[in-house]
Amino acid sequence: MRPIWKGAVSFGLVYVPVKMYAATEKKDVKFNYLHQKCKNPIQYRRYCPYCEEEVPLEELVRGYEYEKGRYVILRDEDFDALPGGDGHNIEIMDFVELGEIDPIYYDKAYYLAPAGGGEKVYELLKRAMEESGRVAVARVTIRSKVSLAVLRVARGVLSMSTMFYPDEVRDAGAIEEMHYRVEVPEKELQMAVNLVNSLTASFDPEKYTDEYRHALMELIQARVAGRQVAEPTRPEAGRVVDLMEALKASIEKAKRERGRQAAGEAPGEGEMEPQKSRRRGRKKAAGEG
């Protein structure tokens, strides 16, 4: 991995030189837009309709539209002069309990690694946070944007997640549909709690996969190879007539799935055999052809 930012974490009078690395990456399948007629990729141009010419990057400036068609121009030196605009410091403001932070505030995640001989002070901060069980709320500037952030110890390193400011989080009370009034019978509530308990497990991120992306790549690879792709069977979504019956059925289904997992059988393995056989038959037929 390559660092995307260099600076220092500051708390009190202590400075920890660090390098920042992106902790996550999007694995979305990317597509190009093609001209349907000739199948060539279309081009996106920075074009000025007034000058009737393409504009190179070095001639672009940032403008804030304060009235329709009227702009205030800001340049790099303007951003550097703002508070926190130097972009080389992660300023710790408070140490708090991680459970006090609502996950809705989290934005992007990064790893922080020691830089410039700062291994000792980096380890000191890391161990102090581990011993105290606290995380740090900080202020950081990345690409001219000043963000809140939370620093914590994760996977053996200091990690940092940028955060939204409170005024950037929308008020759930503004959702009109949430102003409802209903009564939930105690028996139905207890059944729902039982269903939650039957589906409760330890969090293991490795067991969750992007099935849509895998199926999409299988489709693309099959098209490249000139093969047809078997469509997976999908259960029909029946209309729920009795909520209690639906809860009972859900609990029974969860118990069956738990039993299969305990026996080392993949969820739904038995039901998928006919489809697997058909798929193998199609692959065999494609190979013979």
Side-chain angles (χ1 to χ4, degrees):
M1 293 192 290
R2 296 181 179 179
I4 58 175
W5 184 94
K6 294 181 181 180
V9 177
S10 65
F11 67 111
L13 299 177
V14 179
Y15 282 79
V16 185
V18 294
K19 297 179 181 179
M20 182 188 299
Y21 296 82
T24 58
E25 60 178 333
K26 291 284 188 180
K27 290 196 173 181
D28 296 336
V29 180
K30 297 181 180 179
F31 293 90
N32 293 326
Y33 282 106
L34 311 179
H35 186 188
Q36 183 178 5
K37 185 188 299 184
C38 64
K39 305 301 185 291
N40 281 297
I42 63 172
Q43 297 180 353
Y44 293 93
R45 300 186 301 165
R46 294 178 296 273
Y47 182 78
C48 176
Y50 179 81
C51 298
E52 297 184 345
E53 63 182 20
E54 290 189 45
V55 182
L57 282 174
E58 58 269 18
E59 293 185 13
L60 294 180
V61 294
R62 281 169 285 195
Y64 178 82
E65 188 175 23
Y66 64 96
E67 289 181 4
K68 185 66 175 177
R70 305 189 71 178
Y71 299 87
V72 171
I73 305 300
L74 294 179
R75 304 184 185 278
D76 291 341
E77 53 269 26
D78 296 318
F79 291 98
D80 292 338
L82 296 175
D86 58 1
H88 295 286
N89 195 29
I90 301 173
E91 179 190 354
I92 292 178
M93 298 179 289
D94 298 294
F95 288 94
V96 302
E97 297 284 348
L98 180 61
E100 295 177 342
I101 303 175
D102 189 332
I104 198 171
Y105 288 103
Y106 294 142
D107 187 13
K108 296 181 180 179
Y110 303 90
Y111 292 135
L112 301 179
E119 290 82 2
K120 183 176 181 180
V121 67
Y122 177 94
E123 185 66 17
L124 181 65
L125 174 60
K126 185 163 74 77
R127 289 196 184 184
M129 292 176 66
E130 287 179 315
E131 289 288 332
S132 65
R134 300 289 196 277
V135 299
V137 177
R139 183 187 294 113
V140 60
T141 304
I142 305 175
R143 299 189 182 94
S144 300
K145 177 176 172 56
V146 181
S147 300
L148 279 178
V150 59
L151 275 64
R152 63 189 180 94
V153 180
R155 300 172 181 247
V157 302
L158 283 178
S159 71
M160 184 185 78
S161 296
T162 54
M163 303 170 65
F164 293 102
Y165 284 98
D167 60 354
E168 294 178 304
V169 177
R170 292 180 173 179
D171 180 15
I175 302 175
E176 183 178 349
E177 291 81 359
M178 293 307 299
H179 300 161
Y180 61 78
R181 291 185 179 181
V182 296
E183 292 185 5
V184 177
E186 184 61 32
K187 191 174 182 180
E188 291 182 358
L189 176 58
Q190 190 56 51
M191 288 291 291
V193 171
N194 291 341
L195 176 57
V196 171
N197 290 336
S198 66
L199 292 172
T200 298
S202 298
F203 178 65
D204 178 12
E206 297 298 328
K207 79 176 187 179
Y208 305 106
T209 58
D210 190 344
E211 297 179 358
Y212 174 83
R213 176 163 54 89
H214 291 166
L216 179 58
M217 288 307 303
E218 183 179 309
L219 170 63
I220 292 172
Q221 291 165 3
R223 291 285 175 86
V224 172
R227 293 185 286 107
Q228 294 295 320
V229 180
E231 294 185 3
T233 57
R234 294 182 175 84
E236 294 184 4
R239 185 184 175 203
V240 177
V241 178
D242 190 312
L243 182 57
M244 287 294 292
E245 289 300 319
L247 289 169
K248 289 178 182 178
S250 298
I251 292 174
E252 290 301 319
K253 180 182 178 183
K255 288 180 179 178
R256 289 196 301 271
E257 293 295 338
R258 295 289 185 216
R260 289 194 182 100
Q261 292 178 13
E265 182 181 353
E269 187 174 336
E271 293 88 339
M272 294 299 291
E273 284 302 320
Q275 183 181 344
K276 287 183 177 180
S277 299
R278 290 195 298 271
R279 188 175 295 175
R280 283 195 293 267
R282 287 174 179 165
K283 289 183 177 179
K284 183 178 180 181
E288 290 172 353

